């Protein structure tokens, strides 16, 4: 992984960075990208090596990102948190395509029992904006936000049918500089090309650049597939990424412009569908779904602008006053500019961004120029130009968090709760029949006498505080006891499951307000009375549930978050 260039905020640079670029913002974005490429976790020393920054600079950047709730400092590691999803969510909300078309993709996946994806163009690559995957041992592992080279995908051939000569030139430059696709961590790198070899016995000459008789074989094949996609209106991926993986794709066109808005793909394995059979077996149903998607786009009303972020400039100023040198205010303000965009706010002028964030026009302008240089925003060329987010915003931590689960989201919060109250905490869900709760995450304590219920254990729902708070949210008539639990928002269990065991639980709700899980704190009757549980444990428990809910709502806005 190449080291990131450290850029001074005000000095002109020789690497193409504009003189007005905000150096700390450039460096902070680089740290987020390196974290995302590493799967979401790196030590400060590893970040120092990956970015080429001084350790003191890394420490200040990560402290600022932690204050913004984009990372957490977990022991010796820096870990991306669901808070960073706000950046990618802003792009996806402004784009609207996942919200308008995601349900169609999900329905097609259910009908075919195959994975279905939606992808948009990102320069000479493709980037996923929606995934409907199948739960099986052999499954597709691509995530929302993953970037793939166009020439190794079926969607890439469809997007390339609209490329200009400038686009083709940029693609050829990238291919020449990176023939193994090492800049695309979501795909396996190509094998090392062979050195020049004997042409005897009909073997072509292959040099270190991977050329065959002076023509790049991969590039020539891609050009052929683009011509076929232009002719047929669909494209095929016959194990271009790795052996066994096949896909068929069709374009979803913007009803206003007729251009490709996104590409829908059905992805399978050769053990289920040989590539040659995809046009006959999967393409007809895919085309029907694409027609419905295009009808949805035509019928979609203009979006109502959602609420813009408020008080961001005030918050960053207060954080700087509190943390001093450890808080890099220019980095925080630069990142908040990205959150000014969203549903109903896909294109914003400089004035719009300044108004939404509370930043001065000068500060907003420098942040936008920096983001434009980094490829995170693009702007119209006319004088009163409007800025829009690009798919590259998804680089900033979205892929490693787009496949998270509720237990993973809850674990750091449960650990913090257990440390705070010095009692074990747990997360549980209701089983399908509603008779038991299943423990899915937990955090223990080091006391001699403590509650230890392993993850995966099941207990009677009616005898546990976790079960009662979930049963109180169920549809249908409730007992007086459960009605009271629902009204007060928490449940107590007093030595009903086991002598000496007391617990208090509260619900964890999804974006619709439905209780999908519950968290509790358990204690021994000799340590705390029921009144102590309500007075001292319940406030901390509710705060923890709020933290888990906030992360769940961020993570589930455009992705499905399994509860187990």
């Amino acid at each position: 992984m190449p080291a990131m260039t450290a850029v001074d905020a005000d000095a002109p640079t020789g690497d193409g960075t504009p003189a007005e670029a905000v150096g700390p913002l450039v460096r902070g974005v680089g740290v987020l990208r390196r974290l995302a490429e590493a799967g979401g976790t790196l030590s400060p020393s590893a970040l120092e090596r990956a970015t080429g920054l001084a350790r003191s600079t890394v420490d200040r950047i990560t402290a600022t990102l932690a204050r913004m709730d984009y990372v957490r400092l977990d022991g010796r590691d820096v870990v991306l948190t669901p808070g960073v999803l706000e950046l990618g969510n802003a792009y996806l909300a402004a784009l609207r395509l996942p919200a308008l078309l995601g349900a169609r993709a999900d329905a097609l996946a259910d009908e075919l029992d195959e994975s279905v994806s939606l992808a948009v163009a990102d320069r000479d690559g493709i980037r996923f904006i929606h995934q409907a995957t199948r739960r099986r041992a052999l499954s597709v592992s691509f995530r929302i936000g993953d970037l793939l080279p166009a020439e190794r995908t079926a969607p890439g051939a469809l997007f390339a049918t609209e490329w200009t000569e400038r686009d083709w030139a940029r693609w050829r430059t990238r291919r020449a500089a990176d023939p193994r696709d090492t800049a695309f961590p979501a795909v396996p790198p190509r094998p090392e090309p062979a050195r020049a070899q004997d042409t005897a016995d009909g073997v072509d000459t292959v040099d270190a650049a991977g050329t065959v008789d002076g023509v790049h074989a991969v590039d020539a094949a891609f050009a052929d597939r683009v011509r076929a996609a232009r002719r047929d209106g669909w494209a095929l991926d016959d194990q271009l990424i790795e052996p066994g993986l096949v896909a068929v794709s069709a374009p979803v066109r913007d009803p206003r412009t007729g251009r490709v808005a996104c590409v829908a793909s059905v992805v399978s394995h050769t053990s289920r569908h040989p590539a040659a059979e995809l046009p006959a077996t999967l393409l007809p149903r895919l085309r029907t779904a694409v027609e419905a998607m295009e009808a949805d786009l035509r019928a979609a009303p203009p979006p109502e602008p959602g609420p813009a972020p408020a008080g961001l400039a005030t918050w960053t100023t207060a954080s700087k006053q509190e943390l001093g040198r450890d808080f890099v205010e220019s980095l925080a303000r630069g990142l908040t500019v990205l959150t000014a965009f969203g549903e109903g706010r896909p294109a914003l002028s400089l004035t719009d961004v300044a108004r939404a964030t509370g930043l001065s026009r000068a500060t907003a302008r420098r942040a936008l120029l920096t983001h434009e240089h980094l490829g995170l925003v693009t702007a119209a060329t006319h004088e009163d130009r409007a800025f829009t987010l690009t798919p590259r915003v998804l680089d900033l931590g979205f892929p490693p968090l787009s496949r998270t689960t509720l237990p993973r989201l809850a674990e750091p919060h449960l650990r913090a709760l257990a440390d705070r109250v010095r009692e074990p905490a747990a997360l549980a869900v209701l089983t399908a029949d509603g008779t038991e709760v299943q423990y899915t995450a937990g955090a223990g304590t080091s006391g001699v006498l403590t509650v230890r219920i392993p993850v995966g254990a099941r207990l009677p729902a009616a005898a546990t505080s976790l079960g009662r708070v979930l049963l109180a949210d169920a549809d249908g008539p409730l007992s007086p006891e459960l009605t009271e639990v629902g009204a007060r928002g928490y449940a107590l269990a007093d030595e009903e499951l086991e002598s000496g065991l007391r617990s208090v639980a509260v619900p964890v709700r999804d974006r619709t307000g439905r209780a999908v899980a519950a968290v509790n704190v358990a204690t021994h009757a000799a340590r705390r009375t029921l009144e102590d549980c309500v007075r001292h444990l319940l406030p901390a428990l509710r705060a923890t549930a709020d933290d888990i809910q906030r992360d769940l709502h961020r993570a589930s806005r455009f992705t499905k978050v399994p509860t187990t």
Side-chain angles (χ1 to χ4, degrees):
M1 180 186 304
M4 184 186 72
T5 303
V7 180
D8 181 72
D10 298 307
T13 67
D15 63 354
T17 303
E20 291 185 282
V22 182
L25 180 55
V26 174
R27 294 189 279 272
V29 167
V31 166
L32 287 175
R33 281 177 165 158
R34 299 293 90 79
L35 280 168
E37 290 167 1
T41 302
L42 279 176
S43 67
S45 58
L47 273 172
E48 184 181 356
R49 292 190 298 272
T51 61
L53 300 173
R55 176 59 180 268
S56 60
T57 301
V58 169
D59 289 344
R60 292 181 66 215
I61 288 173
T62 55
T64 302
L65 296 175
R67 179 71 169 193
M68 300 182 75
D69 196 24
Y70 288 174
V71 306
R72 72 172 185 273
L73 308 179
D74 190 354
R76 296 183 177 180
D77 290 328
V78 180
V79 182
L80 289 173
T81 69
V84 78
L85 292 173
E86 291 179 343
L87 303 175
N89 283 344
Y91 164 73
L92 294 172
L95 183 67
R96 295 189 76 200
L97 293 178
L100 293 175
L101 308 181
R104 296 282 187 188
D106 295 345
L108 181 61
D110 290 339
E111 177 184 342
L112 299 178
D113 193 27
E114 298 288 356
S115 295
V116 174
S117 65
L118 300 177
V120 295
D122 188 349
R123 295 193 181 183
D124 62 346
I126 69 122
R127 198 179 291 270
F128 294 111
I129 58 169
H130 184 82
Q131 287 278 3
T133 57
R134 303 290 88 189
R135 279 196 169 188
R136 53 171 67 108
L138 193 62
S139 61
V140 179
S141 62
F142 293 126
R143 306 158 300 183
I144 294 175
D146 274 339
L147 178 68
L148 277 63
E151 67 276 9
R152 294 179 68 177
T153 70
L158 291 163
F159 287 122
T161 62
E162 299 180 340
W163 281 4
T164 64
E165 280 302 318
R166 183 179 178 182
D167 295 326
W168 281 103
R170 181 173 56 208
W171 173 73
R172 293 187 187 99
T173 300
R174 188 262 296 168
R175 289 282 299 125
D178 184 21
R180 297 194 63 214
D181 297 334
T182 57
F184 298 87
V187 297
R190 295 182 186 276
E192 288 281 1
R195 293 288 175 182
Q197 52 188 290
D198 193 351
T199 58
D201 301 321
V203 179
D204 294 322
T205 299
V206 183
D207 65 19
T211 60
V212 178
D213 290 339
V215 179
H216 214 298
V218 173
D219 297 359
F222 180 54
D224 288 341
R225 289 196 297 111
V226 173
R227 284 189 287 270
R230 184 179 294 111
R231 179 193 67 227
D232 300 333
W234 55 272
L236 192 67
D237 172 355
D238 185 2
Q239 307 177 78
L240 295 170
I241 295 173
E242 65 180 23
L245 187 66
V246 294
V248 61
S249 301
V252 180
R253 297 192 178 275
D254 187 322
R256 298 167 302 151
T257 65
R259 294 178 61 83
V260 180
C262 67
V263 170
S265 303
V266 180
V267 186
S268 188
H269 192 270
T270 51
S271 61
R272 293 173 59 83
H273 292 280
E277 297 180 4
L278 294 184
T281 56
L282 299 181
L283 180 60
R285 186 62 193 91
L286 172 61
R287 278 179 155 166
T288 300
V290 164
E291 290 174 2
M293 290 178 184
E294 291 177 340
D296 290 342
L297 292 182
R298 286 192 296 271
E304 291 291 332
L312 295 176
T314 302
W315 178 85
T316 57
T317 300
S319 296
K320 180 65 175 179
Q321 292 173 347
E322 180 180 343
L323 298 181
R325 186 178 182 278
D326 288 337
F327 186 79
V328 186
E329 190 173 16
S330 57
L331 166 59
R333 289 188 165 186
L335 290 175
T336 63
V337 162
L338 299 177
T339 65
F341 299 82
E343 186 173 2
R345 305 190 308 279
L348 299 176
S349 67
L350 171 58
T351 300
D352 294 331
V353 171
R355 184 184 301 118
T357 58
L359 299 173
S360 69
R361 282 176 56 87
T363 299
R365 177 177 175 275
R366 290 192 68 191
L368 287 167
L369 288 175
T370 305
H371 288 314
E372 188 174 21
H373 165 68
L374 295 172
L376 300 175
V377 305
T378 188
T381 55
H382 54 79
E383 186 173 345
D384 187 23
R385 56 185 187 164
F387 294 86
T388 58
L389 298 181
T390 76
R392 294 201 167 192
V393 173
L394 295 173
D395 269 342
L396 308 184
F398 209 94
L401 293 169
S402 66
R403 288 283 182 88
T404 193
T405 65
L406 182 55
R408 289 178 189 169
L409 293 177
E411 282 170 358
H413 299 297
L414 294 176
R415 290 199 302 269
L417 175 62
D419 291 343
R420 177 180 175 184
V421 301
R422 299 185 181 278
E423 302 284 6
L427 177 82
V429 297
L430 204 60
T431 57
D433 61 7
T435 62
E436 295 178 310
V437 290
Q438 179 180 356
Y439 284 70
T440 58
T445 58
S446 57
V448 176
L449 183 61
T450 187
V451 179
R452 290 187 177 89
I453 300 177
V455 170
R458 295 190 176 196
L459 296 174
T464 63
S465 60
L466 291 162
R468 287 176 187 167
V469 83
L470 291 170
L471 291 172
D473 195 66
D475 296 330
L478 300 177
S479 67
E481 180 185 10
L482 291 179
T483 299
E484 182 182 355
V485 168
R488 70 190 182 194
Y490 68 91
L492 287 165
D494 184 21
E495 302 189 75
E496 296 161 64
L497 185 67
E498 183 177 325
S499 296
L501 179 62
R502 285 179 176 150
S503 66
V504 57
V506 297
V508 173
R509 301 185 182 277
D510 64 12
R511 292 178 63 87
T512 69
R514 183 174 62 95
V516 294
V519 289
N520 84 338
V521 171
T523 187
H524 193 275
R527 282 203 299 270
R528 296 183 188 270
T529 65
L530 288 176
E531 291 76 13
D532 286 336
C533 291
V534 174
R535 183 180 300 113
H536 298 124
L537 297 183
L538 183 59
L541 184 62
R542 280 179 162 158
T544 298
D546 288 344
D547 290 340
I548 295 172
Q549 283 179 174
R550 183 180 65 252
D551 284 352
L552 175 61
H553 296 176
R554 289 163 168 165
S556 62
R557 186 171 181 185
F558 294 104
T559 65
K560 292 183 178 179
V561 178
T563 57
T564 58

